[in-house]
Amino acid sequence: MCRFRPLSAIFEIKEKDLLGRIGKLKTRTATVETPLLFPVINPVNQPISCKRLKDVFGCQAIITNSYINKKRFGQKIIDQGGLHKFLDYDGAIMTDSGAYQILVYGEVEVTQKEIVAYQEGIGSDIATILDIPTGWKVTKEEAELTVAETHRRAEAFFKEKTRDDVLWVGPVQGGRHLDLVAQSAQIMGKLPFPIHALGSPTEVMENYRYDVLADMILTCRKGIPIERPLHLFGAGHPSMFALAVSLGCDLFDSAAYALYAREGRYMTENGTWRLDQMDYFPCTCPRCASETPEGLRRKSAKEREVFLAEHNLYVCMAELRRIKQAIRDGRLWEHTEMRLHAHPALLSALKRVCDSEDFLEQFSPRAKSSGFFYFDSVGLARPEIVHYRKRLNSNYQPPANAKVLFLVPQTRNKPFHKAPEMKKIRQLLRMIGEDLASQIHVCVYAAPFGVIPLELDEVYPLSQHEATLPLDIETINYVASQAASYIKNNGYTGVVVLNDRKLWKDTVKTAVLAACEEKSLYFAAQDTNVEGTREMLNHLADALRKGLSSN
């Protein structure tokens, strides 16, 4: 049995954010950078030549269907020196095996052994076994059969291949049946494939079930080794590239740039327009900068197709570059959230990420070179927020002499301890005296983190973020629940809350009161909207003294 090269010699991760990675994938022909898009090539009807794809558009890799090429050209590709010479392309070439034709037509006229040998013979850099795709409408029993047969073929494959310099793809099947996807990923992950792929996503995307797609990707990503690249077949539209990358897809292919062009459809990073309904081109790519929709409509069908295919590809490649820059800047969440607001079905996918927030947190960077923007409760699944919640619960203890917790509301300026409002808090502590003040622990309740001990407020990212105001109710409820949990988990004898009704209503105060009643702790609250600062400080001083004397 032939062996693969060690994975460390194939895929090197350079930068990462969320589950997205910028990496170097080393193939026999070329080393390519991920995240990577493989434009699908149809040698019979290709609107953009393969050479132009690389020289003009910067496409480092392409994909073509080995089954279709075998049926149409057979030995001719091998006789001409292999796929690279046949297509006049010197970048990396990936080949699919004909699995999509099985999905569409039910069967193919080739065995796995034959298609494996053909892919080796034509010189594919990345090749795919002949898996059995799981369709969108199949029953659970039918899906189980596709998974079982794919696994059988995957195990048989290692006795069928003869070359060590091809990167073989081990597809994960199961479709919308997530338990089968998990089973398939675990089995395929134990086999020594250097690359995996999520099979059967095309019909899911065609039905706009991006929430299901997100579940499928995450389930697959959890089951295969994290260090292996993951390919998403038929990723399609640039509006969902950021979602795919954020959830751990390193590679994806798309024929949409050409198929949409044939149908007169004009891609943008946020959606698709029809040429016959356009008055303006919003894009400034080399094609759009010198043309108008009206002028393009007057040209021949072939000219329109080529124009739209090239524009569509420019949009796809530009979006990939934006995603890579977002990874490097540590802003992939913001970029993905912005893109997914383009369609409700896409945003639904982001909301499903909360079910896997621990997995995202596990593999995301702990610190970044820049802060982040928090827009609404969808962002509560951000790894930075999850990480803080976990570490505050597991690693933090209040000062040993702290008896009364004094909760104060967030300020606009950060770090909080340097905000002008904190001068009043320091004045208050001086009013009650040094001995009593040393037993008071000042913490801030702030969105989106919850409780922030004042001595930690410069730790990343507690001061390195901006939150949209006013807060949505889900965020307010989250902060309130975190405040209640913090009180239950620590040994204070009393709690005093400075209640900012304008921003928080009474939600935090009510949650804190309930926690104090549950633990039989002293509780007092003071609203910020009293007539004078002195009156407020006097009320707070009395409350803090009572709290310290109550035990």
Side-chain angles (χ1 to χ4, degrees):
M1 180 174 67
C2 297
R3 299 182 181 276
F4 289 117
R5 288 175 282 163
L7 188 61
S8 59
I10 296 170
F11 187 53
E12 180 183 5
I13 298 171
K14 296 291 190 179
E15 306 271 356
K16 60 181 181 177
D17 191 22
L18 302 180
L19 297 178
R21 295 94 67 93
I22 297 176
K24 296 292 185 182
L25 180 65
K26 300 175 183 177
T27 75
R28 178 175 58 87
T29 299
T31 296
V32 296
E33 185 178 78
T34 67
L36 179 65
L37 172 68
F38 296 77
V40 174
I41 301 302
N42 181 347
V44 178
N45 184 15
Q46 180 58 31
I48 311 172
S49 72
C50 296
K51 182 175 177 57
R52 184 170 170 80
L53 285 174
K54 187 169 187 292
D55 295 345
V56 175
F57 294 87
C59 297
Q60 304 172 57
I62 57 176
I63 184 171
T64 190
N65 190 299
S66 63
Y67 173 69
I68 292 176
N69 277 288
K70 186 176 190 300
K71 284 197 70 176
R72 187 173 296 272
F73 302 109
Q75 185 69 22
K76 180 180 178 181
I77 297 177
I78 299 173
D79 292 343
Q80 289 190 11
L83 200 54
H84 292 80
K85 290 186 177 180
F86 182 76
L87 296 177
D88 190 20
Y89 183 78
D90 60 2
I93 299 180
M94 179 177 179
T95 48
D96 194 5
S97 59
Y100 182 73
Q101 282 64 42
I102 295 177
L103 184 66
V104 175
Y105 303 114
E107 61 180 11
V108 290
E109 300 170 352
V110 70
T111 66
Q112 172 168 275
K113 187 174 183 179
E114 291 170 339
I115 204 66
V116 165
Y118 188 72
Q119 289 178 90
E120 289 183 329
I122 61 179
S124 302
D125 296 297
I126 304 171
T128 314
I129 69 168
L130 187 57
D131 55 315
I132 305 298
T134 309
W136 171 248
K137 296 180 180 180
V138 300
T139 65
K140 181 72 173 290
E141 291 73 21
E142 291 170 326
E144 288 173 342
L145 293 176
T146 67
V147 170
E149 179 60 18
T150 295
H151 295 164
R152 187 193 70 77
R153 293 185 179 195
E155 291 175 351
F157 153 78
F158 291 97
K159 296 179 181 178
E160 297 168 343
K161 79 181 192 78
T162 61
R163 293 180 61 166
D164 293 336
D165 58 352
V166 179
L167 302 183
W168 284 94
V169 177
V172 173
Q173 292 295 343
R176 59 189 173 90
H177 305 282
L178 298 182
D179 56 336
L180 295 182
V181 176
Q183 174 190 333
S184 179
Q186 290 171 2
I187 293 174
M188 298 299 285
K190 292 176 182 177
L191 298 174
F193 286 102
I195 299 173
H196 291 286
L198 177 62
S200 312
T202 305
E203 290 179 303
V204 179
M205 290 183 280
E206 288 174 349
N207 284 278
Y208 280 78
R209 291 304 307 272
Y210 291 104
D211 54 339
V212 176
L213 178 67
D215 286 338
M216 290 169 61
I217 295 172
L218 283 166
T219 302
C220 176
R221 186 75 269 185
K222 291 174 186 177
I224 61 175
I226 193 68
E227 66 273 11
R228 294 185 190 175
L230 176 62
H231 185 99
L232 180 65
F233 280 118
H237 200 284
S239 63
M240 58 80 59
F241 288 175
L243 172 67
V245 173
S246 296
L247 300 185
C249 296
D250 304 284
L251 315 167
F252 29 90
D253 65 88
S254 176
Y257 75 100
L259 295 177
Y260 281 32
R262 210 167 297 155
E263 299 167 356
R265 299 166 73 187
Y266 179 99
M267 282 183 173
T268 74
E269 61 270 23
N270 295 316
T272 307
W273 297 347
R274 301 200 69 89
L275 176 62
D276 58 10
Q277 298 173 355
M278 295 180 70
D279 295 316
Y280 306 95
F281 285 142
C283 175
T284 57
C285 74
R287 297 310 307 264
C288 296
S290 59
E291 186 57 274
T292 65
E294 183 180 355
L296 182 59
R297 285 193 289 267
R298 288 197 295 262
K299 295 187 176 182
S300 69
K302 186 61 180 178
E303 287 177 305
R304 292 197 299 271
E305 179 184 347
V306 172
F307 179 101
L308 289 174
E310 294 201 348
H311 157 77
N312 290 345
L313 195 56
Y314 274 122
V315 172
C316 291
M317 301 305 291
E319 178 62 9
L320 269 185
R321 289 191 290 271
R322 293 188 192 100
I323 290 170
K324 290 177 183 179
Q325 190 63 48
I327 293 173
R328 183 155 291 172
D329 293 343
R331 305 297 291 272
L332 184 56
W333 182 283
E334 285 89 340
H335 182 79
T336 301
E337 190 170 359
M338 177 178 65
R339 283 289 176 262
L340 300 192
H341 272 84
H343 195 285
L346 287 168
L347 190 58
S348 296
L350 186 60
K351 292 186 175 182
R352 296 294 281 269
V353 170
C354 63
D355 296 332
S356 298
E357 61 182 22
D358 291 337
F359 184 66
L360 261 70
E361 184 268 336
Q362 180 182 354
F363 294 104
S364 293
R366 295 288 183 258
K368 299 177 181 179
S369 59
S370 61
F372 69 83
F373 296 151
Y374 177 85
F375 298 104
D376 56 34
S377 58
V378 172
L380 291 173
R382 289 188 70 118
E384 298 93 335
I385 299 171
V386 176
H387 180 73
Y388 175 74
R389 182 180 71 231
K390 286 180 167 183
R391 296 305 174 266
L392 186 70
N393 291 337
S394 63
N395 295 353
Y396 178 76
Q397 289 185 341
N401 60 337
K403 294 181 179 179
V404 172
L405 170 64
F406 184 22
L407 280 173
V408 301
Q410 69 184 57
T411 60
R412 282 191 174 271
N413 295 333
K414 295 184 284 293
F416 300 120
H417 76 274
K418 294 182 179 180
E421 294 89 337
M422 288 299 166
K423 291 180 180 179
K424 299 174 185 177
I425 303 302
R426 289 191 288 271
Q427 180 183 346
L428 170 64
L429 296 178
R430 287 194 296 269
M431 287 172 58
I432 65 175
E434 185 176 343
D435 288 343
L436 293 180
S438 67
Q439 301 173 57
I440 297 169
H441 188 208
V442 181
C443 294
V444 178
Y445 57 96
F449 295 101
V451 174
I452 300 176
L454 207 57
E455 68 271 23
L456 298 182
D457 74 344
E458 288 190 289
V459 174
Y460 181 87
L462 302 180
S463 289
Q464 297 81 14
H465 71 280
E466 294 293 336
T468 301
L469 300 178
L471 303 168
D472 60 16
I473 189 62
E474 293 84 1
T475 299
I476 292 174
N477 288 338
Y478 174 81
V479 172
S481 69
Q482 291 306 301
S485 296
Y486 178 80
I487 291 166
K488 293 175 185 178
N489 293 337
N490 290 287
Y492 299 106
T493 58
V495 181
V496 176
V497 178
L498 181 57
N499 184 40
D500 181 357
R501 259 184 154 174
K502 183 178 180 181
L503 182 59
W504 299 95
K505 303 178 175 57
D506 286 329
T507 308
V508 173
K509 182 179 79 171
T510 302
V512 170
L513 172 59
C516 289
E517 290 177 343
E518 183 178 325
K519 291 190 70 177
S520 300
L521 305 179
Y522 169 83
F523 171 82
Q526 172 63 53
D527 288 345
T528 58
N529 58 344
V530 294
E531 290 186 3
T533 298
R534 181 175 295 277
E535 182 184 357
M536 182 184 73
L537 294 180
N538 286 334
H539 288 323
L540 286 170
D542 290 342
L544 290 168
R545 289 190 186 101
K546 288 179 182 178
L548 289 170
S549 63
S550 65
N551 57 77

